[in-house]
Amino acid sequence: MLCHMIVRWQAVREAARGPVVTHALIAGCGVVFVLSPASGLNPVYGTGDELLSAGTAYFRRWGVVPDELFTDTPRAWLTPLTALFVHGSWLHLLGNMLFLFVFGAMAEERMGRPAFLVFYLCTGYLALAAYAAANAESAQTLVGASGAISAVLGAFLYLLPRARVTSLFPFLFFLPLRFPAWLVLLFWFALQWVAAHRAESGPGVAYLAHLVGFSLGFLCAWARYRGTTRVSRPATATEGDSQP
């Protein structure tokens, strides 16, 4: 009986030391999405044209609108923060949360919970603000956690470069292959760089926010943890067409 209680207590302690912030961020994004008109599950927003109209208004209220951000309106300056929890579709949400689940847990463990939360919110805010500054005349709404998650990838590259991750590459017929994290993440960064230079104006993926977030994440990790021992340990990841 005593041994059983000790084992259970150790299990509880292990769970308490888990990636609480990462799981809370994933849960928060999931709840916000389900309650939003984008999910199509909330009857409050109606159906058909009514739902489409509600979705447009919702994104403009909580997302970043570049040509409105740099104004004297305090609410506009909050949108790079609120936009981190808003997603435009199920695919958008699931793709981002997959990356956060895989890479966020180990980054949080390395940084610590409070530091990881501040890091996530601040780098995400700055990534979206930088995208808005570069497209200051655009009225296209920007939503999603991709800037913050890209920062997590950048920090992961610095903190755990030799951790091996399982990746799915479409040009390799989606075979699950294990590569060092530095190879996978640098390849991902290169894809974002090429896509950013080929991207046209208008609706689409904010590749610039990805690049800014990744660079900020790497630089923050370098500034904070340089001179300390970096960790090498196994991890699993799935990387394919979905980009954060």
Side-chain angles (χ1 to χ4, degrees):
M1 180 66 177
L2 178 59
C3 291
H4 179 66
M5 292 177 63
I6 292 175
V7 169
R8 291 192 60 184
W9 172 244
Q10 290 177 337
V12 169
R13 291 186 62 188
E14 288 296 326
R17 289 198 296 266
V20 174
V21 173
T22 297
H23 292 164
L25 289 170
I26 292 173
C29 288
V31 170
V32 169
F33 180 78
V34 169
L35 295 177
S36 77
S39 70
L41 300 177
N42 193 337
V44 172
Y45 296 106
T47 58
D49 292 340
E50 185 181 8
L51 179 61
L52 292 176
S53 178
T56 300
Y58 183 88
F59 292 138
R60 290 193 68 85
R61 177 177 177 81
W62 301 111
V64 178
V65 184
D67 65 357
E68 297 179 1
L69 179 60
F70 301 101
T71 65
D72 295 329
T73 306
R75 189 197 67 80
W77 281 97
L78 288 175
T79 55
L81 185 61
T82 59
L84 294 176
F85 297 90
V86 179
H87 291 81
S89 67
W90 283 101
L91 183 61
H92 188 200
L93 172 72
L94 295 176
N96 275 349
M97 294 305 101
L98 174 61
F99 274 77
L100 180 56
F101 177 77
V102 171
F103 293 98
M106 296 178 70
E108 178 184 343
E109 179 182 345
R110 183 69 176 84
M111 294 181 178
R113 292 173 187 167
F116 179 76
L117 179 59
V118 172
F119 165 84
Y120 181 92
L121 296 177
C122 290
T123 55
Y125 185 103
L126 292 174
L128 296 186
Y131 177 88
N135 299 272
E137 298 180 357
S138 174
Q140 179 65 37
T141 307
L142 177 65
V143 297
S146 57
I149 296 171
S150 297
V152 172
L153 300 186
F156 193 98
L157 174 61
Y158 181 80
L159 296 173
L160 300 117
R162 291 191 294 267
R164 299 188 68 82
V165 297
T166 302
S167 305
L168 301 177
F169 291 95
F171 56 83
L172 294 177
F173 305 102
F174 294 99
L175 294 175
L177 302 174
R178 290 178 65 79
F179 297 98
W182 67 266
L183 180 62
V184 173
L185 294 175
L186 288 179
F187 178 76
W188 176 89
F189 184 83
L191 288 180
Q192 306 306 300
W193 181 272
V194 172
H197 284 76
R198 293 183 177 179
E200 299 178 356
S201 59
V205 180
Y207 294 108
L208 178 59
H210 298 177
L211 295 175
V212 172
F214 189 94
S215 300
L216 283 173
F218 185 89
L219 290 174
C220 286
W222 172 80
R224 172 64 179 84
Y225 298 100
R226 59 179 174 172
T228 63
T229 303
R230 286 185 285 177
V231 181
S232 176
R233 56 178 293 183
T236 57
T238 299
E239 183 156 342
D241 288 332
S242 297
Q243 303 289 348

